[in-house]
Amino acid sequence: MNNTKNQVEATTMEDKINDTGAKLMLKATNAVGKALNKRWGKVLLVLPLCISMLTVTVSASGGADAEGFIDSVIELLQTWIPRLGGMVIVVGGIQFGLGFKDDNADQKTRGMQCMIGGAIVAAIAKLINF
């Protein structure tokens, strides 16, 4: 009888712990959701992700070639920055076309500015030799 009573108390205690944990998790999730609706919350979410994508592991042992690594990074940038400019031109063209469809002067202006910005990025990236 005493053993059954201990089992019931343990089960009740586990239920209370699970309920408390679920309530705390719900509060934490709601707090994060409210924070992400604000600008600083979005920055706090995106900034660590961006920084973690920029980290590069480099070791100086066993014939590490720093110049070769830098050359490969520069080659990668020379390849992808003009492509990025081209993508921005395409996005600007889409905005410009939608501005004509909706007869929205602001959207036409933003689309043209986006296209010009993309063209500048692509042109500068092609002109500069690292």
Side-chain angles (χ1 to χ4, degrees):
M1 175 103 173
N2 196 14
N3 192 16
T4 305
K5 184 179 178 183
N6 289 340
Q7 287 176 346
V8 169
E9 287 177 3
T11 304
T12 305
M13 187 61 120
E14 286 178 18
D15 290 342
K16 287 181 183 178
I17 291 171
N18 286 337
D19 288 343
T20 305
K23 288 177 184 176
L24 289 174
M25 192 61 138
L26 181 63
K27 286 182 181 180
T29 303
N30 288 338
V32 169
K34 287 178 184 176
L36 287 179
N37 288 334
K38 297 180 181 169
R39 178 172 283 184
W40 60 268
K42 292 176 184 175
V43 169
L44 290 177
L45 175 71
V46 172
L47 187 64
L49 294 173
C50 291
I51 291 172
S52 68
M53 289 190 310
L54 294 175
T55 59
V56 177
T57 304
V58 178
S59 63
S61 63
D65 185 17
E67 287 182 25
F69 175 75
I70 292 171
D71 290 340
S72 65
V73 169
I74 289 173
E75 182 179 322
L76 182 73
L77 290 175
Q78 285 177 336
T79 303
W80 280 99
I81 290 177
R83 291 179 184 176
L84 177 65
M87 288 188 286
V88 172
I89 292 171
V90 169
V91 169
I94 292 170
Q95 285 180 342
F96 190 67
L98 290 175
F100 268 108
K101 179 185 87 62
D102 296 336
D103 197 28
N104 185 346
D106 290 336
Q107 194 169 10
K108 290 178 195 176
T109 304
R110 279 190 300 248
M112 188 57 74
Q113 288 173 342
C114 192
M115 288 171 56
I116 292 169
I120 291 171
V121 168
I124 289 175
K126 282 295 188 181
L127 289 174
I128 294 177
N129 291 326
F130 291 97

